[in-house]
Amino acid sequence: MTSLAPRSSLSPRWLTMHRAVLLALLVLAVVSFIVATADSDFAYTPEQLLVSLVIALAVTGAGTYLCAALVRVPPGADSWAITALILFFLMPGVSDAASAVSMVIAAGAAAISKYVVVWRRRLILNPAVVGAIAAYAVSYAGVTIGGVPLSSPFWWVAAEPLFYPMLIIGILLVTALREWWLVAIFLLASLATVGVLQVTQGGQDLQFVFVSSPTLFLAAVMLPEPLTSPTSRIHRAVYAIIVAVLMNWQQTFEITDAYSLEFVPQIALGIGCLYAFVVRLVAQRGAGRVVLDTQVDRIAENTYRVRAQTTSPLRFAPGQWAMISAPRWSAPLWQRTRRVFSYAEAPGENPAEFAFTVPSAQVSTFKSDLIESRRSRLYLDATGGDFTLERRVGRHPLVLLAAGIGITPYRSMLRTLTLGDGRPDLSWLTVVHVVGAAERTVYDDDLDILRAAGARVEIIADAGLTAGIAEPAAMVDLAGRAVHSGDAHYLVSGNPAFVRTTAATIRRTDTTTRWAFWRIRTDAFLGY
């Protein structure tokens, strides 16, 4: 999908978002142990880091599975380990009883928050943020163990010897997650905030902000967390700006004579999570997790439809995606329990509808369970994406190009246009659907309705074209006069190769889009 996608088109199929983050944190942890062993001036010894890591993993894992057993909801695999590893990099290395208890408090609070700091079974705050804030609050309150104060989050991951490893790992991770928009906005907002402070107050140090503070770690690892960040581009930009400004603002607000509020990184990110929660609450009329009772049937060769009944119609924009989860008791690591599907029905229709294809050889456990009816209850965790129709369609030619199951977001859009009384004039619309074989065509009835309304509809059964429309002449033949109109807009949806090749051909064929780049929008179906 266009936003919050689990991996980039260059990543292997098995590398989901959670796995990418988990692997990045594990590699960074290994590097940290190497640095601690080789550098006698490093803040912590390897033994201190090892004790810290063991406590973080043990307490977070035990707390997560205990809470899951109490509420009878299977936990998400990998997420507990990600939370533990983040806290490992935030909290000081364990050197005494006080630092050990501090880690226990942070890890325990993070685990419990997954089931307590929620709204209708949906996370409000990033669990690692909750753990860090809990440790910060206890330390701020002056609690001691044997006369030694409990530790506050230290964010030692920002140590200078880890800068280049963090930079390289961060670049690879953000590329795999396809989150450069979010991270770039955050870094630019951080730079702008520091610039304003330099002009108004002076004394700012860019090296400290980007090398000796957790800016890179927070941007690459914590900021993109999908369940506690907004799901549309504009709100994600606002979210990134809020966190960046608060984190670098360097302001302290006195609450009482003894207590004051300082926007340390965990509090800044916590406020960003609250903004995301409010956005979900308003946009979706409730930010809770929605139960989906599903039925699955075959609609074409290797293509299946999921019909999901809900207590009330779901709220979304045509073309958006849904993050669906199917939690189950399984191995605690390396299990995939979430998928992203595009809505295939119009807003307001119930049941909701999704569709997916399966390869002829290997089928994921998630999809196999759906096909074999071993799993009928799913959960809607998030709705989002910007691959949507304009509010006022018909002002200029619109060309929709899809490969295979990439037609599902278009089906949602087209049903929205054709439902209701009367017959709309869709002469400004062109739909091109490329499939590998004739028996893989879907939604024929919907396409017939479009033809009757005046739209140009082309269905091409050509396995070679599923990798992309590479020739400008073919683009002209398929898209018709819209290519030469000078103001056509294009939406391209399908597998990454089709999207990449077809979008490039559009730019070569309709040269006006080279400058008006916003007239081409894409949605890559990753097939994971």
Side-chain angles (χ1 to χ4, degrees):
M1 307 297 120
T2 49
S3 180
L4 294 177
R7 62 180 181 86
S8 76
S9 60
L10 300 178
S11 304
R13 287 181 178 272
W14 55 265
L15 191 61
T16 63
M17 181 177 192
H18 280 83
R19 287 180 179 178
V21 175
L22 181 60
L23 286 175
L25 290 170
L26 287 173
V27 172
L28 189 60
V30 171
V31 172
S32 301
F33 278 98
I34 294 173
V35 171
T37 302
D39 187 353
S40 59
D41 294 328
F42 195 68
Y44 305 109
T45 66
E47 293 77 15
Q48 291 171 338
L49 293 182
L50 180 60
V51 174
S52 177
L53 180 59
V54 169
I55 293 176
L57 289 170
V59 175
T60 305
T64 297
Y65 276 82
L66 177 60
C67 290
L70 290 174
V71 300
R72 298 181 181 179
V73 175
D78 296 347
S79 64
W80 69 270
I82 291 172
T83 299
L85 286 167
I86 291 174
L87 291 174
F88 166 67
F89 289 110
L90 267 59
M91 298 298 295
V94 173
S95 57
D96 51 31
S99 54
V101 171
S102 299
M103 178 60 86
V104 170
I105 291 172
I112 294 172
S113 74
K114 294 172 182 280
Y115 301 91
V116 175
V117 188
V118 296
W119 173 263
R120 296 178 180 175
R121 298 185 179 184
R122 174 73 185 270
L123 289 176
I124 297 175
L125 298 176
N126 185 323
V129 170
V130 175
I133 291 176
Y136 175 76
V138 172
S139 174
Y140 194 77
V143 178
T144 62
I145 296 290
V148 180
L150 294 186
S151 305
S152 181
F154 186 62
W155 296 82
W156 61 267
V157 70
E160 191 168 337
L162 295 179
F163 172 73
Y164 287 108
M166 181 65 246
L167 180 63
I168 295 170
I169 292 170
I171 290 173
L172 293 175
L173 178 59
V174 174
T175 301
L177 301 181
R178 299 195 301 169
E179 290 287 5
W180 279 110
W181 163 264
L182 177 70
V183 171
I185 293 293
F186 174 77
L187 295 178
L188 288 173
S190 297
L191 185 62
T193 304
V194 173
V196 171
L197 291 175
Q198 175 64 27
V199 171
T200 57
Q201 301 177 13
Q204 304 303 305
D205 185 350
L206 280 180
Q207 181 176 351
F208 174 81
V209 172
F210 291 100
V211 177
S212 301
S213 77
T215 299
L216 295 182
F217 182 82
L218 190 145
V221 176
M222 301 184 71
L223 200 67
E225 203 286 323
L227 297 181
T228 55
S229 61
T231 56
S232 63
R233 180 172 288 239
I234 297 299
H235 287 299
R236 285 174 78 74
V238 175
Y239 160 75
I241 292 170
I242 288 173
V243 177
V245 171
L246 293 180
M247 180 176 165
N248 295 282
W249 195 10
Q250 302 174 14
Q251 294 293 320
T252 301
F253 296 92
E254 188 173 302
I255 299 175
T256 67
D257 291 339
Y259 297 100
S260 60
L261 174 63
E262 181 181 358
F263 289 112
V264 291
Q266 59 268 25
I267 291 180
L269 187 54
I271 292 174
C273 292
L274 289 176
Y275 169 77
F277 172 72
V278 172
V279 168
R280 292 194 303 270
L281 202 63
V282 173
Q284 299 173 25
R285 295 177 183 170
R289 203 180 199 190
V290 179
V291 177
L292 307 175
D293 292 314
T294 64
Q295 291 182 331
V296 178
D297 60 299
R298 184 176 180 272
I299 57 175
E301 180 184 336
N302 294 342
T303 305
Y304 297 85
R305 173 178 60 186
V306 181
R307 296 171 65 85
Q309 191 72 40
T310 60
T311 54
S312 60
L314 301 176
R315 188 177 184 185
F316 61 93
Q320 286 191 309
W321 49 256
M323 181 181 289
I324 305 295
S325 65
R328 60 191 176 95
W329 296 103
S330 62
L333 291 174
W334 222 249
Q335 300 295 316
R336 296 190 289 183
T337 58
R338 286 192 177 93
R339 293 293 185 276
V340 177
F341 298 119
S342 286
Y343 288 100
E345 86 288 359
E349 291 188 286
N350 196 2
E353 189 170 318
F354 314 98
F356 64 86
T357 58
V358 295
S360 55
Q362 185 177 3
V363 181
S364 69
T365 302
F366 188 102
K367 291 181 178 179
S368 176
D369 286 350
L370 285 176
I371 294 170
E372 301 297 331
S373 299
R374 291 192 294 265
R375 184 177 297 172
S376 61
R377 171 154 290 188
L378 304 177
Y379 296 90
L380 172 64
D381 289 334
T383 291
D386 301 284
F387 192 73
T388 57
L389 284 174
E390 294 180 333
R391 291 186 178 181
R392 292 186 293 171
V393 295
R395 294 180 297 170
H396 44 67
L398 176 63
V399 182
L400 309 180
L401 301 108
I405 203 62
I407 197 172
T408 50
Y410 298 155
R411 200 244 184 178
S412 177
M413 300 175 189
L414 301 175
R415 286 187 65 81
T416 302
L417 293 174
T418 56
L419 287 178
D421 299 330
R423 177 179 293 179
D425 177 13
L426 300 182
S427 57
W428 46 270
L429 178 66
T430 299
V431 179
V432 178
H433 187 204
V434 178
V435 292
E439 56 269 23
R440 303 198 70 170
T441 59
V442 292
Y443 305 131
D444 292 335
D445 292 342
D446 295 282
L447 296 177
D448 287 340
I449 293 174
L450 294 182
R451 291 189 182 95
R456 176 188 176 108
V457 178
E458 299 285 349
I459 301 176
I460 302 93
D462 186 335
L465 286 181
T466 58
I469 302 171
E471 297 299 328
M475 182 65 67
V476 172
D477 289 342
L478 295 173
R481 292 175 298 176
V483 174
H484 301 300
S485 66
D487 63 344
H489 286 228
Y490 303 85
L491 272 64
V492 186
S493 175
N495 65 76
F498 177 85
V499 168
R500 185 170 53 251
T501 301
T502 303
T505 304
I506 291 172
R507 295 186 187 95
R508 298 203 315 270
T509 308
D510 185 351
T511 56
T512 61
T513 59
R514 295 177 183 177
W515 301 105
F517 56 87
W518 59 87
R519 285 168 40 204
I520 301 177
R521 289 186 290 146
T522 61
D523 189 23
F525 277 55
L526 303 173
Y528 64 98

